[in-house]
Amino acid sequence: MKRALIALLLTASPAIAQTAQADCACIGKGGTETPLGQVICLTVGGQSFLARCAMSQNVLTWRKVQDGCPAARAATGLSPPIQPL
């Protein structure tokens, strides 16, 4: 019985983790939510850059992808999500 319970927990854990990550979103300026894995243009301290919403040790964070943003999006400081790579 104990082995069956352990086997059940081991097989269910990845599914539970995927569901939890699917509900995760980074919060941008103004309270906008960006789903995990999406890339947007952020402006912090007058500097604009592309950043991806990522998970680091169970904490959502913005990871810098590249300096600057496409010209059309840089003016707003926060743009609609770009498709993940």
Side-chain angles (χ1 to χ4, degrees), residues 11-84:
T11 57
S13 294
I16 292 169
Q18 287 177 344
T19 301
Q21 285 185 355
D23 296 337
C24 294
C26 292
I27 306 299
K29 196 173 189 176
T32 58
E33 291 187 7
T34 302
L36 192 62
Q38 292 287 318
V39 177
I40 66 167
C41 179
L42 291 177
T43 300
V44 178
Q47 300 292 319
S48 295
F49 57 93
L50 287 179
R52 175 177 286 114
C53 176
M55 184 76 72
S56 179
Q57 296 183 0
N58 283 344
V59 177
L60 290 167
T61 186
W62 292 106
R63 296 271 170 117
K64 190 175 194 177
V65 175
Q66 73 179 38
D67 289 326
C69 296
R73 298 169 195 246
T76 63
L78 184 64
S79 64
I82 298 171
Q83 292 301 317

